Amino acid sequence: MASPEQRATAILAAHRYVVIGTADADGPWTAAAQYRLLPRGMYVESDLESRHARAIAASGTASGVVFDSSASLSDADGVQLVFRAREVDAAPSTVREVLDARLARDAVTGSALEDEVTGVIAVPRKRLYVLHVERAYVFDRDAWRSRGTDARLEVDVAAVWAGLAGEG
């Protein structure tokens, strides 16, 4: 049986989209975004005027969930995340630094990396948003199966990211 950390690692490695949760003066908001893995977190690309981007700029926080939407009800699983979030400056060197830090699953080098940097900075309103994971949880499948209760188990974030980096 896989540990909660192994489950979280497998889910984050296998999927590509995170639903980001933020809040602003108008209330809560969620938005799906494609993510790329970084050491201890991920980044997404967005328009700097999007509602979640403005909320991240204002608060420096966000939450998220990555889940397998094709799983059966009895096999539902997902990772819930608490982020310290920030907008990345649009300077080429700063964008390159983030893109170059990606974990192996999402890494590119050489001219492919430079093409990606150019692609980001070529769109004046486009920004990278780094989502540094502070806490993470997986669904408590035992509670769901035995009591029909939606619950979660906290996982060791360092162990999850060590697994994603191929160290664990």
Side-chain angles (χ1 to χ4, degrees):
M1 175 185 274
S3 72
E5 286 76 13
Q6 291 167 325
R7 287 173 38 215
T9 301
I11 292 163
L12 291 165
H15 297 282
R16 300 279 181 184
Y17 294 91
V18 60
V19 177
I20 302 169
T22 57
D24 60 19
D26 293 325
W29 182 252
T30 57
Q34 184 180 34
Y35 66 88
R36 306 279 189 339
L37 292 168
L38 294 169
R40 191 65 186 247
M42 55 183 65
Y43 78 86
V44 299
E45 298 177 15
S46 187
D47 186 295
L48 61 92
E49 289 300 320
S50 68
R51 188 168 173 186
H52 58 273
R54 291 190 323 263
I56 287 170
S59 72
T61 63
S63 61
V65 64
V66 176
F67 60 95
D68 180 358
S69 64
S70 68
S72 67
L73 188 58
S74 63
D75 289 327
D77 211 358
V79 183
Q80 297 168 316
L81 305 153
V82 177
F83 300 120
R84 184 176 66 244
R86 69 179 174 84
E87 178 184 316
V88 175
D89 182 74
S93 61
T94 309
V95 170
R96 185 177 300 102
E97 182 179 315
V98 170
L99 297 180
D100 196 36
R102 288 179 289 196
L103 297 184
R105 178 192 91 164
D106 298 316
V108 298
T109 59
S111 64
L113 174 62
E114 293 310 312
D115 289 346
E116 286 190 8
V117 171
T118 300
V120 171
I121 61 175
V123 181
R125 297 170 55 92
K126 186 179 198 175
R127 294 291 186 278
L128 303 180
Y129 293 85
V130 171
L131 308 172
H132 179 84
V133 177
E134 294 189 324
R135 298 181 82 173
Y137 307 84
V138 292
F139 297 159
D140 184 338
R141 293 167 128 185
D142 292 334
W144 177 252
R145 290 176 180 151
S146 65
R147 301 186 308 270
T149 303
D150 183 18
R152 60 188 181 170
L153 301 169
E154 188 161 7
V155 297
D156 178 341
V157 173
V160 171
W161 257 264
L164 289 167
E167 300 167 7

